[in-house]
Amino acid sequence: MNYANFPIDKRVPLPSADQEKGEDFIDVERLLGMAARQAKVVAVCAAIGLFLGVIYLQTTPKQYMSVASVLIDEGMNKVMDDISAASATQQTDATILSQIEILNSARLASEVVDKLKLDQNQDFMNPPQSALAKGIGFVRGIVAYFRGNAADQLPGIENVDAATREAMIKTATHDYAVLTLQTGLLADRVSRSNVISIGYQATNPALATAITKAYADAYLADQLNASFDATERAAVWLQGRLTELRESSQAASLAVEKFRAEHGLSANSDGQLLSDKQLADLNAQLIVAQADTARASARYQQYKAIVDSGSESAFNDSAIAADQPSSSVIIGLKTRYLAIAKRLQDVETNFGKDHPQAVALAKEKADVSAQIFGQLKQITESYRNDFEVAQTREQALRDKISTAAGKSSIDNQSQVKLKELEQQAQALTTLYQTFLSRYEEASQQQSFPVGKVRIISDATMPLAASGPRTMRVLALSLVLGLMLGAGFGGLNEFNERFFRTGEDIRDRAGLKFLGYLPTIGGGRAKDSKVASLSSAERRARMRVSIDAPASMFAETLRNAKIAFDVVMEDRGSRVIGVISVLPGEGKSTVAANLAGLLAANGAKTLLVDGDLRNPGLSRSLGMEAEQGLMEAVVNGQTWQSVGKVDRQTKLAIIPAVLRGQFSHTSELLGSAGMRRFIENAKETFEYIIVDLPPLGPVVDAKAFAPLADGFVLVTEWGRTPRNMVRSMLESEPYIANKVIGAVLNKVDLKKLAKYGSLGGSERFFDRYSSYYLEKSEARAKQAA
């Protein structure tokens, strides 16, 4: 494809690394690259951190820790728990934390201070301090001084007499000792057990041991005193309650007896009320009376039915029990009746009904039947009387039961109230007995106090220092140093605003990357100013591509030649401007070496020093001429009149001669005379390399742009700001459209690999070394 037919800014850009990575949340490759680049910074900060840690260890006095262990033991005071006025609860986490708060209390600390007289102990009040603590204290003192807090520590002290002032100072000293002791005390629970460790750390091991022992003893005594005080208070309270309970119990018992007497609630031997017993007996009698009434009614109705049926059937229905009155008479009459009836039947059978004996027997039979009927009527009347008596008796019992039931109901209601009074009296009696028993037990317990705490590990003299811990301090110092180094490294990476790789050229500036130009001399002269070099060294810099044609420097320039040959393949003579954004980026060196390389390859090449304000190319080549580009353009001369030719490469060079304070260089470079000069040179040369002034300070390159076929942008590795290049190209689109590509100059190849991606070519320059002849590199370094 012929790229010459397309504007340079319309070419398809290569995909950037960010586009290839997509939407990755964390760029691990970039982070690893940053870590590799900032490894020295991190290492230096880590070393500083370790150094400061060593200084801290050397200036910090040693601390000694003494530890005692106490057990919250419920088994020790089982006797007290059995007789305590309040039931003991199971130890919980909250209980253990409460005991720790007691250990940290100001009251306990005050007891220890008073016991050991710590407020008068200088080792405790003014212990040796580390340099860091002294520095912090000094800063606090300065802040307090400027804030005016020094006079406010004891307000009004200047207005009191000496004795009061001394007392105030003593109190303040005592309070400070208590606060210091509270701050230094270490009390913590051991795992999930009921054991609490008590420790104190001091610069004096004997002092640490004494304070720990005093704290354990004070805590144990505090627990015993608390138990004794609680028991004493319980006994006093119980004694007051006993009098009230005794009086209340007696009053309740009297109320029960009085209520029983007022309501006649007397009871038999089995505790049942008399009214209830009477009602039960009446109910039993009523049941018997009801049975008697039913039996009398049945007999009466039976005989009444017989009587009502008439005398004819009386004989047949007269089933009389033997125990009934007149039973013997009726039985005798029935026997007689049956005998008469039999005889009557025999007579009638033998002699007929009209026989006198039959008539007499029939009359006798009728008389006997009448007698039986009369007897039945008497019995029926008797049973009627019995029935009425039974009814009367039953009704009387019912009336009595009703009366007794009313009285029983009233008694039962009174019984409910009586039971309530009895329960109240019984409860008061029981409570009185319980309190009396507990009062006796509490009275006995005052002389037998038992605590729930015992010391299981007494404080001992520490044999070795507990702090500062060397390994921990050094590890912490190293970690802090690494973190600080990471912070500084991140800041350096954040402040990285320069070109480091070809990817930066493509992505940040949108230009074609032509290659890396290593620092001439292997990094020795990277930061050297050209003006400080000798004339021989400057001339050698301008001939690196000639003296070392197989070097990486020359190879990059060949890549640039291929790039503008492809873009301008249809043009016979090609005018190439070498530009940069800032001065000192090495564009003159690049222009001279590019022209020398073209000439050494046999191409007719003209090198023009177009920097009329600061002709660094001419100075570096050591050219002393009376006439140069300015004279040729102004006087209308050709290149032959002012040019010089290198005898080795046949390279033609047009120098620039500085003429005072000539400031119209941009008009000169964009003039018609300059156009004629270039057109004349095109008739002879295939390549015209023009070293132009930087884009930043002057507009000379912009003025020359219409005469140039393309530009090669020179950027210094790690020095040229990316944003400046981008803004310059955006503000000068005419120049930007003609920029063929950019090279990175003065590259430190040893550091370059750290900026390249894992798959980038920057990491494989060591493998390219076989293609760069060692002799050529040696000659380049020797020439430098």
Side-chain angles (χ1 to χ4, degrees), residues 27-339:
D27 191 346
V28 179
E29 180 181 333
R30 184 179 179 185
L31 292 178
L32 293 176
M34 293 169 59
R37 291 191 293 270
Q38 302 300 327
K40 289 185 178 180
V41 176
V42 175
V44 170
C45 291
I48 293 174
L50 284 175
F51 177 72
L52 294 177
V54 172
I55 293 178
Y56 175 80
L57 291 173
Q58 294 297 323
T59 58
T60 302
K62 294 183 178 181
Q63 299 286 332
Y64 295 88
M65 171 73 76
S66 181
V67 180
S69 299
V70 296
L71 172 65
I72 312 298
D73 191 358
E74 292 291 338
M76 281 190 63
N77 66 333
K78 184 175 180 58
V79 176
M80 185 187 75
D81 288 343
D82 292 340
I83 64 176
S84 177
S87 60
T89 59
Q90 184 181 3
Q91 289 290 345
T92 60
D93 292 346
T95 305
I96 301 297
L97 293 177
S98 299
Q99 298 301 318
I100 293 176
E101 290 300 319
I102 293 175
L103 284 167
N104 289 319
S105 64
R107 181 175 58 83
L108 208 61
S110 180
E111 292 179 2
V112 175
V113 169
D114 294 338
K115 180 179 180 181
L116 299 179
K117 297 181 179 180
L118 295 178
D119 53 344
Q120 303 175 16
N121 191 328
Q122 292 301 316
D123 289 343
F124 178 79
M125 299 296 290
N126 298 305
Q129 293 182 340
S130 64
L132 178 61
K134 291 179 180 179
I136 295 175
F138 178 74
V139 173
R140 288 180 176 176
I142 294 177
V143 173
Y145 175 79
F146 284 105
R147 293 180 60 183
N149 290 339
D152 297 335
Q153 294 178 356
L154 292 175
I157 193 173
E158 66 279 357
N159 299 326
V160 299
D161 55 15
T164 305
R165 183 184 297 108
E166 184 178 355
M168 294 176 65
I169 293 175
K170 185 176 180 180
T171 301
T173 303
H174 184 273
D175 293 342
Y176 176 76
V178 170
L179 180 61
T180 303
L181 188 60
Q182 283 183 279
T183 305
L185 178 68
L186 300 175
D188 197 7
R189 184 179 184 180
V190 179
S191 186
R192 300 295 298 175
S193 66
N194 288 347
V195 177
I196 299 177
S197 63
I198 304 173
Y200 192 83
Q201 185 173 266
T203 56
N204 188 340
L207 179 62
T209 305
I211 291 176
T212 305
K213 286 184 177 180
Y215 242 112
D217 294 339
Y219 177 59
L220 182 60
D222 180 77
Q223 292 293 314
L224 292 174
N225 292 334
S227 176
F228 180 81
D229 293 342
T231 304
E232 185 178 13
R233 287 193 298 269
V236 173
W237 181 81
L238 285 172
Q239 186 176 10
R241 288 291 295 161
L242 280 174
T243 303
E244 298 177 5
L245 289 173
R246 181 172 59 251
E247 295 175 354
S248 299
S249 177
Q250 292 175 355
S253 298
L254 291 175
V256 170
E257 297 302 327
K258 184 178 180 181
F259 186 84
R260 180 181 285 117
E262 289 177 352
H263 294 80
L265 300 177
S266 300
N268 54 16
S269 60
D270 59 356
Q272 188 177 13
L273 292 176
L274 295 179
S275 58
D276 291 343
K277 178 64 175 175
Q278 182 181 5
L279 181 61
D281 293 342
L282 289 174
N283 284 326
Q285 293 177 18
L286 177 61
I287 294 173
V288 174
Q290 287 177 343
D292 292 342
T293 301
R295 185 167 54 253
S297 175
R299 288 177 178 178
Y300 169 68
Q301 294 298 331
Q302 178 183 6
Y303 280 92
K304 185 178 182 295
I306 294 174
V307 172
D308 292 340
S309 62
S311 60
E312 295 297 332
S313 59
F315 175 80
N316 296 327
D317 296 332
S318 58
I320 305 301
D323 60 343
Q324 298 299 325
S326 304
S327 59
S328 61
V329 177
I330 294 177
I331 293 174
L333 291 173
K334 289 186 70 173
T335 303
R336 183 181 173 189
Y337 180 85
L338 292 174

Side-chain angles (χ1 to χ4, degrees), residues 3 39 54 165 223 336 380 449 489 508 603 614 620 725 745:
Y3 286 93
V54 172
R165 183 184 297 108
Q223 292 293 314
R336 183 181 173 189
T380 299
R508 307 289 183 171
N614 184 20
S620 297
V725 173
N745 193 25

Side-chain angles (χ1 to χ4, degrees), residues 704-783:
F704 184 77
L707 304 179
D709 296 321
F711 293 100
V712 174
L713 178 63
V714 179
T715 58
E716 185 174 355
W717 187 81
R719 294 291 180 89
T720 304
R722 298 189 297 245
N723 290 338
M724 187 174 183
V725 173
R726 182 187 302 172
S727 62
M728 188 66 66
L729 294 177
E730 290 176 353
S731 62
E732 303 293 343
Y734 188 72
I735 295 179
N737 292 339
K738 288 191 174 184
V739 174
I740 300 170
V743 295
L744 274 174
N745 193 25
K746 303 181 183 179
V747 178
D748 188 341
L749 296 179
K750 293 181 179 180
K751 295 181 179 181
L752 179 62
K754 297 180 180 180
Y755 290 92
S757 59
L758 292 179
S761 61
E762 295 81 7
R763 294 182 176 268
F764 301 95
F765 278 136
D766 55 342
R767 298 190 181 183
Y768 300 163
S769 59
S770 61
Y771 287 89
Y772 305 137
L773 298 180
E774 294 182 1
K775 292 183 178 180
S776 298
E777 295 286 353
R779 291 175 60 189
K781 292 182 180 180
Q782 183 178 4

